[in-house]
Amino acid sequence: MNILRSILIGLMSFVCVITISGTIYVTTLQSTIMNPTVVKSWLKDSKIYDGGLLSLLVQPGQQNDKQPDSPQKIIATSSQVKTALSNTYTPDFIQTQVETMVNNAYAWMDGKTPNFSFSVPIDQKKDVLIQQLAAAIEPQIAALPVCSQAMVAAQTACRPSGETPAQVATELTTQNIQQSSMFNKPITNETLAKNDNSPIDSNKQSLLTQLPSIHQLINQLSIIFPIIALVAIAIIVAIAKSGQRLLASLRLSRRIFFSMILTFIGALVFVWLTRNSDFGLSGVAGQASDALLPLIEIALAGLAKTLAIYSGIVCFVTLAIWIGIAIWLKKHAPVPSETPAIVATEPIPAQVS
């Protein structure tokens, strides 16, 4: 019977350690990745709104190093396009749109909406973008001579005589923007999925469809794990001998402490590593590395810090319980009774009458 009791107590202790560890990890996820407020703060701290996020969706043309034979051959360089995008789609505009997307995403994962959808109205600022791009290429057009009959006949690079460089630049930019489907309609989840330049490939899209199920599972585990841990503790207390329950509690708290201290130390080491290494993520991110890498680093550091906080709290509580029970047992340990010494006495001689 004692062997069976010891085996069951050991099994329940193992279950308790595992479920408490699981509770810590699940709570960490709920407090970070599953919290839209935290995700928004990560986005803001990563400066992703200041880095021209829309430039990830655009393939700007490259300027020809040779002298163009007509204004139509003049196109904006990559840096000019990025500058025009930044001036048109300001950080405040990008932040508003991205945070709206985040809210829609979490509403979908929480089951509040049947589908995840968003719409970024970039088409509403198309005229501003045309002005910005036209201003960028205007110096190049102004450098061309005004067309004459001889130049037209000889197909010499020139610009129309009846228009100013600003007018020619605006016409060319308007023509190019109208021919492109990028800025003629809002960016939606459907158009983003079809964009070859999108950082979301088919494999990632299939994973994204599982997010509501994963979100629901984590919420369920956040309830199941604590219940199992409490049941395991109750079983340990119930089956332990009446005089050994405090000792069993001491051993359990010690096991939980040593389990959590490893998690606590590992989380602190990871936080330190995030300050000195990107773990090779720059090579994995590809084209989106400049914009997404800071966000990934901040998210990893945030996860590690939160895990360190929660595991540290459990370490402190279990250590306090461990020390408290140990002190109590020491103070209330039964004092061994002293056996009275046997004094040898000499026999009294018999008196002779």
Side-chain angles (χ1 to χ4, degrees):
M1 184 64 182
N2 291 333
I3 296 177
L4 181 60
R5 181 186 290 110
S6 299
I7 293 175
L8 186 57
I9 290 176
L11 178 61
M12 290 297 100
S13 298
F14 175 77
V15 171
C16 187
V17 171
I18 293 299
T19 51
I20 289 178
S21 299
T23 302
I24 296 301
Y25 287 107
V26 167
T27 305
T28 299
L29 292 176
Q30 287 184 318
S31 302
T32 53
I33 295 178
M34 295 177 61
N35 189 335
T37 302
V38 174
V39 172
K40 292 176 186 178
S41 67
W42 287 350
L43 289 166
K44 187 174 182 179
D45 294 340
S46 68
K47 308 296 182 182
I48 195 171
Y49 305 128
D50 302 331
L53 185 59
L54 286 179
S55 62
L56 297 176
L57 310 175
V58 180
Q59 289 181 333
Q62 299 297 326
Q63 183 181 14
N64 194 345
D65 293 334
K66 298 181 180 180
Q67 180 69 20
D69 55 6
S70 67
Q72 284 74 15
K73 297 296 181 66
I74 295 179
I75 56 177
T77 63
S78 176
S79 60
Q80 290 173 334
V81 171
K82 290 181 179 180
T83 301
L85 287 173
S86 299
N87 294 335
T88 303
Y89 304 103
T90 60
D92 291 339
F93 174 84
I94 300 297
Q95 181 175 352
T96 300
Q97 302 304 321
V98 172
E99 290 185 350
T100 301
M101 293 170 58
V102 171
N103 292 334
N104 293 343
Y106 280 90
W108 166 60
M109 288 189 292
D110 288 335
K112 298 177 181 179
T113 56
N115 299 305
F116 170 52
S117 61
F118 60 88
S119 178
V120 182
I122 61 172
D123 55 322
Q124 295 180 4
K125 289 198 170 188
K126 181 175 65 174
D127 293 339
V128 178
L129 180 61
I130 290 175
Q131 295 176 3
Q132 293 291 331
L133 289 175
I137 66 173
E138 182 180 347
Q140 299 168 248
I141 296 177
L144 296 176
V146 178
C147 292
S148 62
Q149 292 183 352
M151 289 181 179
V152 173
Q155 296 184 348
T156 303
C158 61
R159 57 183 171 85
S161 58
E163 299 179 84
T164 63
Q167 291 174 333
V168 175
T170 301
E171 292 175 0
L172 292 178
T173 304
T174 303
Q175 181 181 359
N176 292 332
I177 293 295
Q178 293 294 348
Q179 291 176 353
S180 173
S181 60
M182 175 61 67
F183 299 98
N184 293 331
K185 56 184 178 181
I187 295 178
T188 63
N189 45 310
E190 290 85 3
T191 58
L192 185 61
K194 296 177 181 179
N195 191 346
D196 295 335
N197 230 8
S198 171
I200 304 177
D201 55 23
S202 58
N203 295 329
K204 295 177 183 177
Q205 291 177 29
S206 61
L207 177 62
L208 291 176
T209 58
Q210 303 299 322
L211 286 179
S213 300
I214 297 174
H215 191 273
Q216 183 179 5
L217 176 62
I218 292 176
N219 287 334
Q220 292 173 349
L221 291 177
S222 67
I223 300 174
I224 294 174
F225 279 158
I227 292 176
I228 295 177
L230 292 175
V231 171
I233 294 173
I235 293 175
I236 292 173
V237 173
I239 66 177
K241 292 182 179 179
S242 58
Q244 300 293 323
R245 289 173 180 172
L246 282 179
L247 183 59
S249 300
L250 182 147
R251 292 173 178 172
L252 177 61
S253 62
R254 184 171 57 195
R255 290 174 182 173
I256 297 174
F257 170 78
F258 283 117
S259 174
M260 286 292 98
I261 195 66
L262 295 177
T263 302
F264 176 70
I265 295 174
L268 289 181
V269 171
F270 194 87
V271 171
W272 179 79
L273 290 176
T274 54
R275 298 180 179 180
N276 302 278
S277 173
D278 62 359
F279 304 99
L281 294 174
S282 57
V284 177
Q287 291 182 348
S289 60
D290 292 339
L292 299 181
L293 185 56
L295 174 61
I296 296 174
E297 292 176 348
I298 290 176
L300 292 176
L303 282 167
K305 289 178 183 177
T306 306
L307 181 60
I309 292 173
Y310 287 139
S311 59
I313 292 174
V314 175
C315 285
F316 176 79
V317 172
T318 53
L319 180 62
I321 295 174
W322 176 12
I323 295 175
I325 295 177
I327 294 174
W328 194 94
L329 290 176
K330 185 177 181 179
K331 287 183 177 181
H332 295 79
V335 179
S337 59
E338 297 181 357
T339 303
I342 300 176
V343 180
T345 59
E346 295 181 359
I348 302 176
Q351 296 180 357
V352 179
S353 57

